[in-house]
């Protein structure tokens, strides 16, 4: 009985072993086949050129989180929040039909300083608190934050200055200070202000810019550049880019380099530095078109007391260099920049 039982068991174990071996063999073949497919795919991918991320657009500075306001004193928090509201909805308070005063053109600070001055490369306020007061060649004097804010009111908003002691000015300054939290003195964190776009070898072209405008801007800002007024009649859903209610020719965005850098990484609506929709050429030509259209004038006779300090794209003479107003406005800019660099006074 025992021998019979032993002999009948051994073939069964052998069959189990062979079955397990067969499964392992099929598994190995499947793995090798899968590995072969993966290797082939990898080989295809390896022919693609790896593009290293542009370091200009990595690890950009961001605004402090709102929850951190809990550490502010109640009155300070309220002032910061009011300042943010003023930046986002300036015209509701200080526009032609403003509830506080009527001292601006109907645009909001946020129209130029995106997301209430917090958008990376969106003309944000990150470096204002850390770098002011400072000397500015445009005025030829040391300017503080009050002067800087009022420059925007008088130029970009084509309006009047805010009183330094007013609640509105104090609120705007409190908000700017809040956005500069953690920024070291005299430092400009990455992503501050407007991106410095590389210039073109040719002159920028308003005619080409008109084509870009019609294709990518007109649907919001309208064919006449007048923008779209909000339902409340106090501000603009889409701001005017030229005409009587837009920024005047003393504004920062009237400089071609500022406008081009601004729209490159922020326009049309939905674009940002991670998902730009304009080429460099389109951005420059668009600047040429928009800033060739009629807009309010401003007395600039006191600007740039030292004409040698004028930037390469300042469109109004006189200049220390031999180039024309036409070239200063439309370029090509490289010869001007090279001349300025060559004749720049050395600092001792």
């Amino acid at each position: 009985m025992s021998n019979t039982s032993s002999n009948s068991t051994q073939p069964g174990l052998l069959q189990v072993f062979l079955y397990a071996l067969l499964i392992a063999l099929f598994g190995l073949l499947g793995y090798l086949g899968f590995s072969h497919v993966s290797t082939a795919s990898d080989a295809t991918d390896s022919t693609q050129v790896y593009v290293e991320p542009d370091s200009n657009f990595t690890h950009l500075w961001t605004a402090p989180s709102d929850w951190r306001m809990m550490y502010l004193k109640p009155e300070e928090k309220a002032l910061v929040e009011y300042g943010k509201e003023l930046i986002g909805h300036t015209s509701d308070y200080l526009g032609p039909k403003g509830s506080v005063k009527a001292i601006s053109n109907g645009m909001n600070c946020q129209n130029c300083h995106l997301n209430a001055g917090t958008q990376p490369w969106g003309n944000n306020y990150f470096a204002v608190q850390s770098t002011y007061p400072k000397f500015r060649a445009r005025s030829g004097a040391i300017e503080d934050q009050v002067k800087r804010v009022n420059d925007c009111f008088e130029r970009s908003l084509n309006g009047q200055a805010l009183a330094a002691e007013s609640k509105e000015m104090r609120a705007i300054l409190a908000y700017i200070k809040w956005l500069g939290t953690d920024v070291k003195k005299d430092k400009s964190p990455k992503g501050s202000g407007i991106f410095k776009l590389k210039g073109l070898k040719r002159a920028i072209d308003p005619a080409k810019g008109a084509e870009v405008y019609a294709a990518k801007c007109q649907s919001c800002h309208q064919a006449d550049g007048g923008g779209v007024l909000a339902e409340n009649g106090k501000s603009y859903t889409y701001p005017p880019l030229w005409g009587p209610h837009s920024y005047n020719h003393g504004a920062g965005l009237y400089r071609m380099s500022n406008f081009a850098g601004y729209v490159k990484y922020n326009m049309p609506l939905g674009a940002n530095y991670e998902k730009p929709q304009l080429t460099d050429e389109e951005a420059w030509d668009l600047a040429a078109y928009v800033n060739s259209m009629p807009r309010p004038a401003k007395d600039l006779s006191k600007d740039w007391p030292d004409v040698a300090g004028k930037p390469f794209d300042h469109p109004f003479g006189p200049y220390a260099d031999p180039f024309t107003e036409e070239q200063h406005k439309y370029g090509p800019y490289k010869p001007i920049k090279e001349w300025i660099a060559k004749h720049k006074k050395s600092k001792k």
Side-chain angles (χ1 to χ4, degrees):
M1 291 287 296
S2 61
N3 289 338
T4 304
S5 175
S6 175
N7 290 337
S8 63
T9 303
Q10 286 179 358
L13 290 175
L14 183 60
Q15 289 174 355
V16 170
F17 175 77
L18 290 174
Y19 182 73
L21 184 62
L22 189 61
I23 291 176
L25 182 60
F26 277 117
L28 179 60
L29 290 173
Y31 172 78
L32 291 175
F34 179 79
S35 298
H36 176 72
V37 171
S38 298
T39 302
S41 175
D42 292 343
T44 302
D45 291 342
S46 68
T47 63
Q48 299 178 2
V49 178
Y50 171 71
V51 179
E52 186 175 351
D54 188 338
S55 61
N56 284 311
F57 304 106
T58 58
H59 305 98
L60 300 191
W61 194 266
T62 57
S65 301
D66 285 347
W67 66 263
R68 295 178 63 182
M69 288 191 194
M70 65 184 289
Y71 296 110
L72 299 176
K73 295 179 180 179
E75 61 273 17
E76 186 179 4
K77 178 183 177 183
L79 204 59
V80 169
E81 290 176 334
Y82 183 41
K84 182 178 182 179
E85 175 70 10
L86 286 169
I87 297 301
H89 305 94
T90 318
S91 193
D92 289 353
Y93 300 89
L94 300 168
K97 298 179 181 179
S99 59
V100 177
K101 280 186 175 182
I103 62 169
S104 64
N105 60 2
M107 292 175 66
N108 299 319
C109 296
Q110 184 170 249
N111 293 144
C112 298
H113 304 279
L114 296 178
N115 291 334
T118 66
Q119 177 70 25
W121 299 128
N123 207 12
N124 57 63
Y125 300 132
F126 295 157
V128 176
Q129 187 67 23
S130 64
T131 58
Y132 281 81
K134 70 177 180 181
F135 175 82
R136 298 191 75 207
R138 186 169 71 181
S139 64
I142 300 292
E143 297 184 8
D144 59 12
Q145 289 93 328
V146 171
K147 166 65 174 169
R148 188 68 190 88
V149 169
N150 277 333
D151 266 353
C152 282
F153 270 94
E154 294 176 327
R155 296 168 186 263
S156 299
L157 298 181
N158 193 40
Q160 304 166 33
L162 265 176
E165 66 278 4
S166 66
K167 179 182 178 181
E168 286 65 38
M169 176 62 81
R170 290 187 292 109
I172 290 172
L173 295 182
Y175 179 60
I176 288 174
K177 180 180 178 181
W178 167 251
L179 292 185
T181 299
D182 302 329
V183 180
K184 294 182 180 179
K185 183 63 179 173
D186 299 323
K187 298 295 182 181
S188 295
K190 188 189 290 190
S192 297
I194 297 174
F195 185 79
K196 303 299 181 185
L197 199 62
K198 185 177 180 180
L200 305 183
K201 294 180 179 179
R202 61 168 173 85
I204 58 180
D205 190 338
K208 291 182 178 179
E211 296 176 2
V212 178
Y213 184 85
K216 299 187 178 182
C217 312
Q218 183 172 300
S219 60
C220 291
H221 298 284
Q222 305 303 295
D224 64 356
V228 176
L229 198 63
E231 289 186 8
N232 63 11
K234 291 184 176 182
S235 59
Y236 286 91
T237 302
Y238 302 108
L241 297 184
W242 64 82
H245 304 294
S246 189
Y247 57 88
N248 64 47
H249 69 204
L253 285 182
Y254 191 65
R255 280 183 57 192
M256 299 297 185
S257 60
N258 285 341
F259 192 100
Y262 179 78
V263 298
K264 166 68 179 183
Y265 292 111
N266 295 289
M267 296 294 156
L269 187 65
N272 58 34
Y273 69 93
E274 294 176 311
K275 297 179 292 183
Q277 297 184 31
L278 299 175
T279 66
D280 287 7
E281 290 198 47
E282 287 175 329
W284 279 108
D285 289 334
L286 183 60
Y289 174 65
V290 171
N291 282 336
S292 296
M293 303 304 284
R295 65 185 61 257
K298 178 175 173 55
D299 180 10
L300 305 180
S301 60
K302 294 183 180 179
D303 284 5
W304 309 104
D306 179 3
V307 297
K310 289 183 177 180
F312 66 90
D313 57 344
H314 184 72
F316 304 111
Y319 304 108
D321 59 66
F323 301 94
T324 65
E325 283 190 349
E326 179 82 3
Q327 187 163 348
H328 274 278
K329 185 167 185 176
Y330 298 111
Y333 300 120
K334 185 177 180 181
I336 303 175
K337 295 170 78 172
E338 289 177 342
W339 191 97
I340 292 173
K342 182 178 179 181
H343 293 84
K344 189 174 183 178
K345 295 178 182 178
S346 60
K347 296 181 180 180
K348 294 183 179 180

